Amino acid sequence: MSSEPRPRRPGPILAAPVPPPPEAPLPPVRTRERRPFLLDFFPLESSDQTRLSRFFDRLKEGRVSTTRCPKDGLLHWPPRTACPQCHSEELEWVDLPEVGHVYAFSAVLGGAPLGMEDEVPFAVGLVDLDGAPLRLFGRIEGRPWTELQIGSAVRLESFDIGDGRYFYRFRATDP
Amino acid sequence: MNVRDVALVGGTTTKFGVRPSTWAELAQEVGARLFREMPELRAEDVDSLFLGAAEPERFAFQSHVAPLAAEQMGLRPHRIIQRTELACASGQSAIRSAYAAIAAGLSDVAVAVGVEKMNLPSMAEANTSMACVMDRAWDGPHGATAPPFFAMVAQRHQLEYGTTEDQFAAVSEKNHRFANSNPEAQFHEKTFSREKLLRLPIVAPPLRLGDCSSMTDGAAAVVLVAADRAKKYTDTPAWIRGTGQYSDFHNLAHAGSLTEWTGLKHAAREAFGRAGVGPEAIDFAEVHDCFTVSEIIEYEMFGWCPPGQGGAFVADGQADIGGKVVVNPRGGLLGCGHPLGATGIAQAVEVYRQFARKAPPARTVPDPEWALVHNLSGSANVHSVMIYQGGSAA
Ligand SMILES: [Zn+2]
């Protein structure tokens, strides 16, 4: 079938890559699951479970990062272990911009998954990051959904989910 | 290699709804109905079974489901037995796989069955399972399920094209009205005027309860055969003439435009190309109205109306009997409910019934020759399309 190839996102535009990791592997982090894995949405973040543990380590430092392919410049989301374009496994880590603007949003007013029932209502949205060719999906905190607008400014932040693990989300800021 | 013609020669569904039945009991029920309604079908003739089932591991705590379904239905497949999983399109995937096997000469008589049990004592547990359809590790922790995603699609369609809540409600009113003449539909007995729909509570803004298909238990089955066997089972087969599929992305970061579904255009182009017809030839369509906005975008992507005009198209009655193309005469996912693995099969059952003139008058499509079935899955990241032609058995 004739189909034009999906347009690839352009190359890098971000801050300089962070320094390469230390030679010694990071010690495995013990995590305590609050619920069985198959009923828990947050990923297994430790280095004995994922090769992307550096992403979660950086979250603990307050940095939301991702991988980029030095070979073809493709910026990935989510972070990867192999480039989907050239299949190189030699990837570098870069920090994401902290500011973005809402492309679309909605809210969960009911029917939330396990562990999120007490958080209802909550807003979610797709956010264009300023200065990066990425549109990330995420929870939007800091303002009720009724006060959000397309174009609202948000900040990308990491947060402690309460059991030793970290994740990322958006926080609405003043326009 | 010669590709053989394949006919869909019959099928049935269970009642869809909140059923006091287990997964296995739904499979038994649809098997019993199938053999009762097709007395010429003998179990030993069925050489292959394709089972569409999206999440039995989550909803029924059961893997290895294809042989379980075969046993429930009283079948001993001896050529191909397999399960197809493509979330909301698992049922159509089973039909496509059966079609491919028969066309290639690996099967002569195949059953494609879809079974889904979704209503559990804990709805939070059921919602958790639904959220696994998305990219669980990255989108899931934010609370991504289908309603907020399609709500964003609706929001963008409103922003870009001025589509109104009343136009969303027009889709729901039409499909619920068709469901009133489908006794197997989950909402068979319920009537929904546009005014009533616009008063229902908001689930995920701007979508209201009536804009969303529901969690449904149900099963459906069809029989597909090689062309030379069709006459044994029916005088009014539905011939599979074209099929296409496209997988565009998975993580929501790669959704691109929320209102232009390029994956659907690709799948449709492939299916129309194989069938040798275009969208104007289609007399009726069973499309994936998981949400009202989905059906509106589907009119546009299939080419029944220009981009952005889907809302006006449905409000003007163009998707109704007497309009340009009859869309979802079965009652759609909105009226029938959406048991993930069974939906695509039940849509094909409707195609067979319309061609066989077995649909009740209130939803009868006048003199249909060409029909289209569409399923999206997940966040509209995958699209599956099949095109059928009515006609006599060879
Ligand atoms: Zn690369």
Side-chain angles (χ1 to χ4, degrees):
Chain A
M1 102 193 225
S2 65
S3 64
E4 53 271 21
R6 184 175 178 75
R8 292 291 179 183
R9 295 183 181 280
I13 29 47
L14 300 181
V18 290
E23 290 300 316
L26 296 164
V29 180
R30 275 244 174 262
T31 58
R32 282 200 307 275
E33 312 289 1
R34 282 196 297 189
R35 47 178 81 240
F37 175 63
L38 294 181
L39 293 173
D40 181 11
F41 278 98
F42 291 102
L44 300 172
E45 302 184 346
S46 57
S47 60
D48 59 344
Q49 295 288 344
T50 172
R51 289 166 62 194
L52 297 173
S53 59
R54 192 159 298 121
F55 173 82
F56 302 104
D57 293 339
R58 282 203 167 77
L59 285 183
K60 287 181 190 136
E61 301 165 11
R63 299 153 70 188
V64 185
S65 55
T66 193
T67 53
R68 177 169 65 185
C69 178
K71 214 166 142 190
D72 54 22
L74 189 70
L75 184 67
H76 308 138
W77 184 263
R80 298 179 58 101
T81 59
C83 178
Q85 189 161 268
C86 72
H87 301 104
S88 166
E89 294 183 81
E90 312 281 321
L91 307 180
E92 61 189 9
W93 287 90
V94 291
D95 287 344
L96 288 173
E98 289 181 4
V99 176
H101 290 84
V102 172
Y103 175 79
F105 69 94
S106 183
V108 175
L109 308 186
L114 275 176
M116 300 183 194
E117 306 103 306
D118 296 343
E119 299 162 16
V120 168
F122 57 82
V124 294
L126 282 163
V127 170
D128 286 325
L129 297 184
D130 288 10
L134 287 178
R135 180 178 293 156
L136 265 55
F137 176 82
R139 188 79 68 92
I140 304 175
E141 300 285 351
R143 192 161 299 172
W145 68 269
T146 48
E147 294 175 23
L148 286 174
Q149 293 182 332
I150 288 176
S152 288
V154 295
R155 183 169 292 278
L156 181 59
E157 65 177 23
S158 69
F159 70 101
D160 182 347
I161 67 171
D163 60 1
R165 292 177 295 173
Y166 282 70
F167 210 63
Y168 63 94
R169 64 189 174 194
F170 296 104
R171 179 167 296 279
T173 56
D174 289 325
Chain B
M1 190 185 86
N2 287 331
V3 172
R4 303 198 294 178
D5 282 336
V6 178
L8 194 156
V9 294
T12 193
T13 88
T14 67
K15 170 74 178 172
F16 282 10
V18 181
R19 297 291 313 275
S21 296
T22 65
W23 193 99
E25 289 160 7
L26 290 166
Q28 284 190 36
E29 184 178 333
V30 78
R33 282 184 88 146
L34 184 69
F35 283 101
R36 200 158 56 235
E37 292 174 24
M38 291 186 70
E40 54 292 321
L41 181 68
R42 297 186 313 157
E44 53 269 34
D45 294 344
V46 178
D47 60 58
S48 299
L49 180 73
F50 296 84
L51 166 70
E55 296 198 63
E57 288 87 351
R58 301 289 311 195
F59 285 115
F61 202 178
Q62 179 70 56
S63 295
H64 209 201
V65 277
L68 176 64
E71 184 167 279
Q72 305 308 308
M73 298 177 77
L75 295 173
R76 282 202 175 89
H78 54 272
R79 286 189 180 158
I80 301 174
I81 173 142
Q82 70 176 53
R83 165 192 173 190
T84 56
E85 188 278 302
L86 196 64
C88 327
S90 297
Q92 187 183 141
S93 290
I95 295 177
R96 288 168 54 89
S97 300
Y99 164 65
I102 295 169
L106 298 176
S107 165
D108 295 310
V109 179
V111 167
V113 60
V115 184
E116 211 76 45
K117 170 72 186 175
M118 300 177 73
N119 287 282
L120 303 177
S122 158
M123 279 316 285
E125 201 175 330
N127 292 328
T128 302
S129 298
M130 287 304 289
C132 296
V133 170
M134 305 287 189
D135 187 344
R136 202 278 300 157
W138 299 95
D139 293 333
H142 299 287
T145 53
F149 176 79
F150 284 91
M152 293 192 294
V153 173
Q155 183 188 47
R156 291 297 307 191
H157 209 275
Q158 289 183 311
L159 175 84
E160 293 168 26
Y161 300 116
T163 307
T164 65
E165 275 197 57
D166 194 55
Q167 291 169 334
F168 292 146
V171 175
S172 191
E173 184 278 326
K174 168 180 69 72
N175 294 355
H176 278 107
R177 170 161 42 80
F178 282 140
N180 291 148
S181 62
N182 182 351
E184 289 149 351
Q186 180 164 7
F187 300 109
H188 172 59
E189 289 90 7
K190 295 204 172 169
T191 54
F192 293 92
S193 65
R194 282 197 219 181
E195 296 68 30
K196 182 174 172 181
L197 287 161
L198 290 171
R199 285 196 305 269
L200 292 176
I202 294 175
V203 170
L207 299 180
R208 294 174 184 274
L209 195 58
D211 292 307
C212 311
S213 58
S214 55
M215 305 277 268
T216 306
D217 312 328
V222 290
V223 179
L224 296 106
V225 303
D228 58 355
R229 312 209 175 199
K231 212 174 181 59
K232 178 178 173 189
Y233 301 102
T234 184
D235 295 326
T236 54
W239 295 98
I240 296 176
R241 296 303 191 204
T243 176
Q245 208 165 31
Y246 197 86
S247 180
D248 204 12
F249 65 94
H250 193 249
N251 186 281
L252 296 180
H254 305 146
S257 163
L258 297 184
T259 56
E260 184 187 11
W261 293 353
T262 50
L264 173 45
K265 287 184 176 175
H266 289 314
R269 191 184 308 158
E270 171 84 4
F272 283 132
R274 288 182 177 274
V277 296
E280 66 288 343
I282 302 299
D283 299 296
F284 70 100
E286 289 285 317
V287 303
H288 204 91
D289 58 327
C290 50
F291 297 89
T292 48
V293 68
S294 311
E295 185 171 315
I296 284 175
I297 293 177
E298 286 151 13
Y299 307 144
E300 301 169 9
M301 297 300 112
F302 277 116
W304 292 313
C305 70
Q309 296 303 302
F313 185 81
V314 63
D316 191 35
Q318 292 301 315
D320 218 322
I321 288 172
K324 192 167 182 178
V325 53
V326 186
V327 179
N328 283 327
R330 180 182 69 108
L333 284 56
L334 290 165
C336 294
H338 182 23
L340 308 176
T343 284
I345 311 269
Q347 290 170 310
V349 171
E350 178 71 9
V351 169
Y352 175 79
R353 286 178 177 165
Q354 289 285 352
F355 284 148
R357 321 310 290 151
K358 286 179 177 170
R363 68 177 214 262
T364 292
V365 179
D367 302 319
E369 182 186 359
W370 291 95
L372 177 151
V373 176
H374 162 259
N375 295 105
L376 66 78
S377 34
S379 49
N381 50 330
V382 184
H383 293 275
S384 306
V385 178
M386 296 191 72
I387 293 172
Y388 294 86
Q389 186 181 25
S392 58

